């Protein structure tokens, strides 16, 4: 059996999801005797993938793929899967991979399961556990096709080192003009900040902050925790924060290890978008706020008093344990 993963990278560096996919694939491989191959697109040094169990890396370096195109990337991954005769293709749940995954599955005539949250429940028949109904439930999905495509839910498996001797191979793909119907003209990126997509910790705030002028204490708490900053939909709609920070079902989904919600009541769309986060902490003056029903830890009180004190305590703790 051969397993192929797509190891996503940005600006020559692998994203955390690449290592999570490699860790997942290695665990499946150990149970089945399979080999793990990673395909990379315009990545830099690929040797780091070997730390997480990848046996072989197919390196695609192609100027046509310098900007993301779902059809073109899906075609490249299809060609890699066919070269390796892969029976299992693993993608992440990033925005790019979610666009690509159905295209990869169709190209390979494969069954597809998204939001996978654990190792296969059974290999024969092939069954996986998935999040369903906006992360409110699980289901067991069975795939009967010869080739299977899975997208792993973000932060659902974790990263574990399992070093192997990795070989590298340059791989050329044929990309047609039809695959490049959408072309990237320009890309605007936020620099110097932890991005929501890659953050293990997210500090989010809502209208309880009363105005954009008070966001400094949210940024201070995020800096102390090494976290990304985020916001609720009303905050981004009001223009207090960039729309790129809007998290929730109608914004960016978050599956952080720690999610801190400050002054957010907890609309159902917001909770659905962050429900995969492992630990949820809520700070709100209203003890009846819906968010408290799903929180692991809750503090009823004034954020303007609690957040600065919390930030100072975290800074003091880190200084003592440096």
């Amino acid at each position: 059996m051969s397993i192929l993963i797509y190891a996503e990278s940005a600006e020559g560096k692998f994203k955390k999801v690449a290592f999570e996919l490699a860790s997942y694939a290695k665990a499946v491989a150990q149970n089945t005797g399979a080999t793990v191959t990673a395909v990379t697109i315009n990545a830099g040094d690929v040797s780091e993938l070997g730390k997480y169990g990848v046996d072989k890396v197919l390196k695609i370096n192609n100027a046509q793929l310098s900007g993301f195109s779902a059809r073109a990337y899906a075609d490249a991954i299809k060609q890699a899967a066919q070269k390796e005769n892969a029976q299992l293709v693993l993608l992440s749940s990033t925005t790019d991979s979610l666009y690509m995954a159905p295209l990869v599955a169709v190209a390979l005539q494969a069954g597809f399961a998204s939001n996978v949250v654990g190792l296969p429940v059974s290999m024969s028949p092939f069954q996986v556990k998935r999040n369903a109904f906006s992360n409110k439930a699980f289901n067991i999905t069975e795939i009967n096709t010869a080739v299977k495509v899975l997208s792993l839910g973000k932060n659902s498996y974790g990263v574990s080192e399992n070093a192997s001797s990795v070989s590298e191979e340059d791989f050329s793909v044929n990309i047609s003009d039809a695959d490049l119907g959408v072309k990237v003209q320009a890309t605007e990126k936020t620099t110097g900040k932890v991005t929501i997509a890659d953050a293990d910790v997210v500090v989010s705030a809502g209208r309880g902050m009363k105005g954009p002028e008070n966001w400094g204490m949210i940024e201070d708490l995020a800096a102390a925790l090494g976290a990304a900053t985020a916001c609720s939909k009303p905050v981004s709609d009001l223009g207090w924060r960039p729309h790129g920070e809007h998290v929730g079902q109608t914004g960016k989904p978050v599956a952080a290890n720690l999610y801190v919600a400050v002054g957010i009541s907890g609309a159902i769309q917001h909770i659905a978008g962050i429900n995969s986060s492992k630990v949820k902490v809520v700070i709100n003056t209203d003890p009846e706020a819906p968010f408290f029903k799903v929180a692991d830890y809750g503090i009823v009180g004034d954020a303007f008093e609690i957040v600065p004190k919390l930030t100072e305590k975290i800074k003091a703790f880190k200084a003592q344990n440096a």
Side-chain angles (χ1 to χ4, degrees):
M1 181 179 179
S2 176
I3 302 172
L4 180 79
I5 71 168
Y6 168 49
E8 284 193 54
S9 61
E11 298 179 352
K13 295 183 179 180
F14 288 110
K15 298 180 180 180
K16 178 187 172 184
V17 292
F19 304 135
E20 186 170 17
L21 276 184
S23 302
Y24 181 95
K26 186 64 174 180
V28 175
Q30 289 177 324
N31 293 330
T32 60
T35 58
V36 179
T37 300
V39 57
T40 65
I41 298 178
N42 296 330
D45 181 10
V46 302
S47 60
E48 192 174 8
L49 292 171
K51 294 181 182 179
Y52 304 94
V54 172
D55 301 303
K56 178 181 179 181
V57 180
L58 296 180
K59 300 188 297 182
I60 299 174
N61 290 294
N62 189 314
Q64 291 178 292
L65 302 175
S66 58
F68 176 73
S69 166
R71 289 182 62 179
Y73 272 50
D75 195 11
I77 293 168
K78 177 204 75 172
Q79 292 176 48
Q82 290 175 332
K83 177 185 183 301
E84 295 298 304
N85 193 28
Q87 289 85 51
L88 182 60
V89 178
L90 300 176
L91 303 171
S92 67
S93 290
T94 63
T95 301
D96 287 356
S97 284
L98 287 174
Y99 276 123
M100 286 192 300
L103 300 174
V104 174
V106 169
L108 293 171
Q109 296 184 325
F112 169 52
S114 61
N115 297 317
V116 174
V117 295
L119 295 174
V121 176
S122 168
M123 295 301 295
S124 183
F126 188 87
Q127 297 176 331
V128 289
K129 183 179 180 180
R130 304 171 55 241
N131 272 326
F133 302 114
S134 298
N135 301 322
K136 296 185 181 69
F138 299 107
N139 69 23
I140 303 298
T141 296
E142 182 172 317
I143 303 178
N144 297 314
T145 51
V147 180
K148 302 157 183 69
V149 176
L150 307 180
S151 68
L152 187 65
K154 183 178 179 294
N155 209 24
S156 63
Y157 185 75
V159 175
S160 59
E161 292 192 15
N162 194 336
S164 63
S165 178
V166 61
S167 63
E168 302 177 16
E169 178 182 334
D170 291 326
F171 179 54
S172 297
V173 293
N174 296 315
I175 303 299
S176 68
D177 291 339
D179 289 333
L180 299 170
V182 176
K183 296 183 180 180
V184 177
Q185 298 293 329
T187 302
E188 294 183 8
K189 295 183 178 181
T190 300
T191 58
K193 293 183 179 180
V194 181
T195 65
I196 295 172
D198 297 326
D200 287 327
V201 182
V202 174
V203 177
S204 187
R207 282 182 292 183
M209 296 305 298
K210 299 180 181 179
E213 67 277 4
N214 296 318
W215 228 263
M217 69 179 190
I218 299 300
E219 293 176 334
D220 289 344
L221 177 58
L225 289 169
T229 56
C231 68
S232 62
K233 184 177 185 297
V235 165
S236 63
D237 286 346
L238 288 166
W240 293 1
R241 299 299 292 175
H243 282 284
E245 291 191 4
H246 164 207
V247 298
Q249 192 174 29
T250 56
K252 292 183 178 179
V254 169
N257 287 325
L258 173 63
Y259 184 81
V260 182
V262 181
I264 300 175
S265 61
I268 188 170
Q269 294 89 350
H270 188 93
I271 292 174
I274 62 90
N275 211 31
S276 292
S277 296
K278 293 184 177 178
V279 177
K280 295 176 278 291
V281 177
V282 175
I283 301 171
N284 202 296
T285 56
D286 180 8
E288 301 300 321
F291 224 138
F292 283 115
K293 295 179 181 179
V294 299
D296 297 286
Y297 301 94
I299 302 172
V300 178
D302 187 348
F304 292 91
E305 296 179 5
I306 294 167
V307 172
K309 291 179 180 179
L310 180 60
T311 302
E312 290 307 312
K313 289 289 186 181
I314 292 169
K315 288 180 178 178
F317 176 82
K318 292 175 72 173
Q320 292 172 2
N321 294 274

